[in-house]
Amino acid sequence: MFIANWKMNGSEAMLKIWLAEIKENLNQDARSSCILCPPVCFISQASKIIQRDDLGLAIGAQDVDPEIHSALTGGISGSMLKDLGSEYVIVGHSERRVNFNESSSLLKSKLEAATISGLKVIFCIGESLEEKEAGKSFEVLENQLKVYNSLTNLESIIAYEPVWAIGTGKVAEISYISEMHNFIIEKTKELNINLISLAYGGSVNSSSSKEILSLEEVNGLLIGGASLEAKEFSKIVNSIEN
């Protein structure tokens, strides 16, 4: 799977241009492996264009509130996201873990809310530079995955994003990506996680994507800044065929 995480970027005009260029640069099969995660205010419009033009892309949201029903000003529930056209939702991205102090208990509540609403989850995990240098990478990832304890019927894409590589231009060495992904695969089996796909993220672009995708244990990419340009995103998706 190729996940375009726009973060807090975009406009209606940008969305229209982006989808038109995706239609031009990616064939139907390639588009069916892509998930567009724009800001929530553009989800409905994106869904309508995708359906109208038979693009075949899936839609994902960037966050979900943990409550199913709540008098929460500004809250957006999983059922609302589904109604807008979302099939997926991102949970646990490091930017939200750090900037909003999202705890494991909160993330578990979000996973539960997604399950009840019928959303598939893109669950992000990753270690900081300090944790990596302290030799705690495996421990950190295992603890982050433990939020799945007692959760059932939750279809997930796990996205491994080393925090030190997000938005920095740094990409982990290919051997390191392989080692971490193999560890995650084993842990998802131990925890009985219903794994749809295991993706890598962290400053991925068309120059680095082909080598990363050559790894058998990597079957997807979570793409941030490089996804804002449709032609660059298309190059990344097409790199799996070249």
Side-chain angles (χ1 to χ4, degrees), residues 183-198:
F183 175 80
I184 294 166
I185 290 170
E186 290 305 312
K187 288 302 169 183
T188 56
K189 290 177 181 177
E190 290 178 15
L191 294 168
N192 295 314
I193 296 173
N194 186 359
L195 187 64
I196 303 172
S197 178
L198 179 55

Side-chain angles (χ1 to χ4, degrees), residues 111-124:
L111 292 176
E112 291 171 339
T115 302
I116 292 170
S117 303
L119 291 167
K120 299 172 186 175
V121 169
I122 302 165
F123 188 65
C124 300

Side-chain angles (χ1 to χ4, degrees), residues 149-201:
N149 284 339
S150 77
L151 294 178
T152 58
N153 301 319
L154 176 57
E155 294 183 284
S156 295
I157 294 173
I158 302 294
Y160 168 60
E161 287 195 306
V163 178
W164 46 272
I166 299 173
T168 64
K170 298 179 181 178
V171 179
E173 293 182 3
I174 200 72
S175 59
Y176 188 79
I177 295 173
S178 176
E179 181 181 21
M180 302 309 289
H181 275 241
N182 278 310
F183 175 80
I184 294 166
I185 290 170
E186 290 305 312
K187 288 302 169 183
T188 56
K189 290 177 181 177
E190 290 178 15
L191 294 168
N192 295 314
I193 296 173
N194 186 359
L195 187 64
I196 303 172
S197 178
L198 179 55
Y200 173 78

Side-chain angles (χ1 to χ4, degrees), residues 9 38 44 52 57 60 63 101 115 120 147 151 157 162 167 181 202 204:
N9 295 286
S44 180
R52 183 195 69 196
L57 282 79
D63 189 34
N101 298 312
T115 302
K120 299 172 186 175
V147 300
L151 294 178
I157 294 173
H181 275 241
V204 176

